Amino acid sequence: MTQLQKYAWLIDTIRHAGKISHKELSDRWELNKDLSDCKPLHRSTFNRWREAILSQFGIVINCQKTGGYLYYIENPEEIDDDKLKKWILDSFGITNIIGEHLSLKGRILVEDIPSGRDHLTSFLKAMKDSHSVCVTYKPFNTNYNYTFTLEPYCVKLFENRWYVLGRNNNDDIKIYALDRIQSVEETTDKFKLPKGFSAEKFFSKKYGVVLGHDVKPERILIRANEHHKNYLKALPIHHSQRLKEDCGEYADFELFLSPTYDFVMKLLQSASMVEVISPDSLRETMKGWISDMSDIYKEENSES
């Protein structure tokens, strides 16, 4: 159990309790045998953790003295408004919960992230040092590797794969899947991020990881039928998604993003449950893919 996991447990416990006494915290800690070895959470240890959490996360754990000494998170916006911090804490929270129930390991199913451990540390270190890296990469559907230098700007997790975005030695901004990288080596060459670069802003008008530099963002209207509309309400396709109208039998949603290849593939996953209303250009793209799929299934099975 790392210190970071202990801090995450403390933050997560207080977050979900709202307000909680030190005694109750200690009792919960002691009951969590995998974390605590059945030992109480001493007040001196608790206070050290509070200081470390403030230093590392900027999260203030304060004490309400009236009505009992109860601890609470004074600045929850420090978590709620920071996607990375929230993701880290939520991930640790889930890890801790599952860790308490390892006896159910055959009944808890998770998805593998094959590229998560291979080269992520190397890229994060290079990003921290502002050093370029030498990368050997093997694309899908090729029998060869190629080697190039890359200035790593940011990394992104998308659909259980890690990607790195950066400027290569051809002066192109490109994105690479970490599970296609054969090797990565940090160099001593320094680089500077472009002035004002924001990874979140860079991807804000994109669905996933297809950059589509020539695909402009536009207003998109989609219609989900009554069997699918609630799924889109619960888990929006994109952060720009807004409910335009719910008519009972269907609901219309508006998005503003670049309709790149991966976005089209996402829409096709919903089959006839989602229809593109506008723009016409995207409707035509969808028609093309659907027509090609229809042609495949119209053909007689060659094995029959």
Side-chain angles (χ1 to χ4, degrees):
M1 178 58 55
T2 66
Q3 281 300 122
L4 188 57
Q5 287 173 299
K6 295 175 182 178
Y7 300 157
W9 175 88
L10 183 60
I11 296 168
D12 189 63
T13 302
I14 298 175
R15 275 176 75 196
H16 286 90
K19 294 180 180 180
I20 189 170
S21 68
H22 172 261
K23 183 182 184 308
E24 190 175 355
L25 275 171
S26 183
D27 289 345
R28 291 192 187 185
W29 174 254
E30 196 169 354
L31 287 172
N32 195 324
K33 299 177 182 179
D34 292 323
L35 295 178
S36 66
D37 292 330
C38 301
K39 297 177 182 178
L41 178 60
H42 295 296
R43 187 172 293 277
S44 58
T45 301
F46 169 61
N47 287 329
R48 284 200 306 273
W49 289 6
R50 288 174 62 194
E51 293 174 3
I53 287 168
L54 175 60
S55 175
Q56 293 188 31
F57 292 96
I59 297 170
V60 180
I61 298 175
N62 213 333
C63 181
Q64 171 189 292
K65 297 179 180 179
T66 56
Y69 284 80
L70 300 176
Y71 292 92
Y72 65 98
I73 293 177
E74 185 178 279
N75 54 342
E77 69 280 357
E78 191 67 30
I79 302 171
D80 298 334
D81 296 344
D82 189 319
K83 289 183 180 179
L84 177 59
K85 199 175 292 182
K86 189 174 187 300
W87 181 83
I88 290 172
L89 294 173
D90 286 345
S91 297
F92 273 122
I94 292 170
T95 300
N96 289 336
I97 291 169
I98 293 176
E100 295 174 24
H101 300 86
L102 284 179
S103 61
L104 299 175
K105 64 180 181 180
R107 296 159 61 189
I108 300 174
L109 305 180
V110 297
E111 295 183 357
D112 188 28
I113 303 179
S115 59
R117 296 179 299 275
D118 295 340
H119 303 300
L120 184 58
T121 301
S122 299
F123 280 109
L124 293 177
K125 183 177 183 303
M127 288 163 56
K128 188 175 182 180
D129 296 339
S130 296
H131 284 171
S132 62
V133 291
C134 181
V135 174
T136 299
Y137 191 77
K138 186 180 185 300
F140 283 123
N141 303 320
T142 67
N143 295 319
Y144 61 87
N145 303 331
Y146 65 97
T147 301
F148 56 93
T149 56
L150 182 75
E151 298 174 353
Y153 288 179
C154 69
V155 293
K156 180 174 182 177
L157 179 63
F158 179 69
E159 294 186 345
N160 284 350
R161 297 178 79 196
W162 280 102
Y163 297 82
V164 58
L165 175 80
R167 184 185 299 276
N168 63 25
N169 49 280
N170 291 324
D171 208 31
D172 295 325
I173 303 294
K174 297 194 71 173
I175 196 162
Y176 302 92
L178 267 61
D179 59 354
R180 306 309 305 157
I181 291 175
Q182 305 294 300
S183 66
V184 55
E185 184 177 349
E186 184 176 345
T187 74
T188 57
D189 297 332
K190 285 276 190 179
F191 77 92
K192 289 184 178 180
L193 280 173
K195 187 176 180 179
F197 174 80
S198 162
E200 186 170 354
K201 184 177 180 181
F202 182 90
F203 284 100
S204 65
K205 302 298 190 301
K206 307 180 193 307
Y207 165 68
V209 293
V210 175
L211 300 186
H213 294 298
D214 57 339
V215 183
K216 303 298 182 185
E218 56 186 323
R219 175 185 171 274
I220 297 167
L221 189 66
I222 62 175
R223 177 167 294 170
N225 68 17
E226 60 183 330
H227 303 296
H228 198 65
K229 64 180 185 180
N230 290 325
Y231 288 94
L232 293 189
K233 290 179 182 179
L235 189 63
I237 295 175
H238 187 255
H239 68 85
S240 67
Q241 179 179 304
R242 300 289 182 271
L243 176 64
K244 191 79 172 174
E245 186 178 15
D246 189 336
C247 300
E249 293 184 356
Y250 65 85
D252 289 345
F253 299 88
E254 185 178 86
L255 306 92
F256 186 77
L257 74 162
S258 301
T260 49
Y261 167 81
D262 50 357
F263 177 64
V264 173
M265 294 301 104
K266 177 64 176 178
L267 294 178
L268 287 171
Q269 288 177 14
S270 301
S272 61
M273 293 184 292
V274 169
E275 176 189 1
V276 173
I277 304 301
S278 65
D280 290 340
S281 57
L282 183 55
R283 280 185 65 89
E284 291 303 313
T285 298
M286 297 294 292
K287 286 180 184 179
W289 279 98
I290 293 167
S291 176
D292 290 345
M293 292 169 65
S294 177
D295 288 343
I296 291 173
Y297 287 100
K298 283 178 182 176
E299 296 176 2
E300 293 184 8
N301 191 325
S302 60
E303 296 181 0
S304 62

